[in-house]
Amino acid sequence: MAGSSTQIPQAVTDGIRTLIADAGIETNQDLIARILATGIGLGLDDTDRLDLKIASAALTEMRAAFSLFAPFRGIPKVTIFGSARTRPDDEQYRAAAAAAHALAERGWMVVTGAGPGIMQAAAEGAGPDHSLGVSIRLPFEEKPNAVIMKNSRNVAMKYFFTRKLMLVKESQAFICVPGGFGTLDEMFELLTLQQTGKADPTPIVLLDRPGGTFWAGLERFVDEQLIAGGFVSPDDFDRVLVTDSVDAAVGDITGFYRNYDSLRWVGKRLVLRLHAAPTPQEIDDLNDRFGDLLAEGRIEATAPLKAEVRDNDRLDLPRLVMTPNRFKVGSLYRLIRALNELPSAAGEPETAPVPSPGL
């Protein structure tokens, strides 16, 4: 059971188990029990009412969001961030719509904050059948845009932190179009999650209008201030593509899954699932190039591990297994790009990739 500053009586713990059984819950009973025990613990801790309201609303909002995304679990998703103030006659608006349209044609769904501006552009480009929204309740944004509302595929959030969780958790790629504080906040959170290994490697594209300098200015700031000051590593910004080309943005996203499919941790070992099996010579070359990422051993081809077999997890795919240095997991994107460039790698998959487990 979840711990708290006040011990939960054993009779209550037993009652939680009985309640779960009576409700007909048969799977993940341990996690459901932990959630219920945490709620009781908050009550025993004499938690402030405002804090309880925050916890209650966050859990309620996450349940609604999980329900929204559940029917589309097998479909890859791209989240598009950008300013709510961008007008339909702006080149950035048209670029966001074009990128969303191109990805939707390739089988992707587009996730946005469901508001106006770039969010509406992306939803228009993808169309209502390929759009999902996670809106925020603001006094000046009372309802989602018309595209999202057409199929009622939206969940409204009170808190930005729960909204950002869902905008990031469910997607396998990200496009950031110029915007204000909110867009920059979302973009920097993406980079932080990738840098620290708290999220699986994914393609991140910073898309500008043709000839635009918005993201180039950010790139210059990273080089002149963050890297020069030693605040980030010299290759930390290499994980993103800065471009003013819709074709390049779409190509970078689909190309990221040219050979790479997904990853899974099994204890301290990392399994990379691929579309095409590397040759022994290619694996030797990968070890020469990326041995610095390993804590021990080598990168090796393997059959599905026992945990994967138990869960029937992508058993048809070839895979590589390695024991990475946990302090260097933020650099896995370099290895994935190398896997996509192997001569043995197949062309771009005819169908979009099945999503990996996420955060």
Side-chain angles (χ1 to χ4, degrees):
M1 290 294 178
S4 68
S5 58
T6 303
Q7 186 67 33
I8 298 176
Q10 183 61 45
V12 175
T13 298
D14 293 340
I16 289 174
R17 294 194 178 99
T18 300
L19 179 64
I20 291 173
D22 289 346
I25 299 170
E26 298 180 353
T27 59
N28 298 315
Q29 292 182 349
D30 58 330
L31 295 176
I32 301 299
R34 186 181 301 176
I35 292 170
L36 295 175
T38 299
I40 291 172
L42 287 168
L44 293 173
D45 293 343
D46 195 26
T47 305
D48 181 82
R49 181 171 178 81
L50 176 59
D51 292 341
L52 290 173
K53 290 175 69 175
I54 293 173
S56 174
L59 192 59
T60 300
E61 291 181 353
M62 285 190 286
R63 182 190 179 194
F66 296 155
S67 178
L68 171 70
F69 282 96
F72 312 105
R73 192 165 289 147
I75 303 174
K77 301 170 190 69
V78 55
T79 294
I80 298 182
F81 296 113
S83 175
R85 304 184 184 189
T86 304
R87 306 294 298 176
D89 59 353
D90 194 302
E91 289 179 309
Q92 292 173 353
Y93 193 104
R94 293 193 287 272
H101 179 74
L103 286 166
E105 285 192 324
R106 289 163 171 79
W108 289 68
M109 296 197 76
V110 173
V111 182
T112 71
I118 293 301
M119 294 172 279
Q120 180 160 337
E124 288 175 352
D129 291 338
H130 289 83
S131 296
L132 294 168
V134 186
S135 61
I136 188 74
R137 298 191 192 101
L138 296 174
F140 47 85
E141 288 182 25
E142 295 183 359
K143 60 183 180 180
N145 63 62
V147 181
I148 295 295
M149 285 296 291
K150 184 173 182 178
N151 285 342
S152 299
R153 291 179 178 172
N154 178 70
V155 60
M157 302 293 211
K158 178 179 181 181
Y159 298 116
F160 276 106
F161 75 90
T162 50
R163 183 196 195 207
K164 284 199 297 182
L165 170 64
M166 298 311 303
L167 288 171
V168 172
K169 171 186 175 294
E170 296 291 335
S171 288
Q172 292 74 51
F174 301 89
I175 297 176
C176 300
V177 184
F181 293 144
T183 300
L184 294 174
D185 173 52
E186 290 153 345
M187 184 271 300
F188 278 118
E189 178 149 337
L190 278 176
L191 294 181
T192 301
L193 291 170
Q194 296 281 309
Q195 179 196 53
T196 56
K198 294 294 288 183
D200 290 347
T202 55
I204 300 172
V205 177
L206 308 185
L207 176 63
D208 210 335
R209 62 163 58 92
T213 60
F214 185 94
W215 296 121
L218 172 64
E219 192 171 21
R220 187 168 58 251
F221 175 78
V222 170
D223 289 339
E224 296 177 357
Q225 301 297 329
L226 300 184
I227 294 176
F231 302 115
V232 300
S233 299
D235 63 349
D236 273 344
F237 207 64
D238 291 348
R239 73 185 71 250
V240 307
L241 172 68
V242 177
T243 184
D244 62 358
S245 165
V246 170
D247 289 342
V250 173
D252 188 69
I253 289 172
T254 57
F256 193 85
Y257 298 97
R258 174 173 178 253
N259 191 23
Y260 168 71
D261 177 86
S262 56
L263 61 78
R264 173 171 176 171
W265 288 92
V266 180
K268 64 180 181 179
R269 292 181 295 176
L270 177 66
V271 183
L272 297 171
R273 281 81 70 100
L274 310 175
H275 296 292
T279 67
Q281 183 176 351
E282 288 173 337
I283 294 175
D284 287 341
D285 180 62
L286 291 171
N287 277 284
D288 290 340
R289 295 170 60 189
F290 299 100
D292 62 311
L293 298 182
L294 304 179
E296 59 183 55
R298 288 171 47 84
I299 302 171
E300 296 179 327
T302 180
L305 301 186
K306 289 182 179 179
E308 296 178 289
V309 173
R310 181 193 63 217
D311 297 335
N312 194 29
D313 189 3
R314 314 295 284 152
L315 303 183
D316 58 320
L317 296 178
R319 58 243 295 132
L320 297 175
V321 66
M322 56 188 286
T323 304
N325 182 334
R326 292 281 185 161
F327 292 101
K328 296 185 177 181
V329 292
S331 295
L332 286 174
Y333 72 94
R334 295 195 291 115
L335 174 57
I336 290 172
R337 287 180 176 172
L339 292 170
N340 290 324
E341 295 168 358
L342 292 177
S344 62
E348 182 178 326
E350 293 183 4
T351 56
V354 173
S356 56
L359 298 177

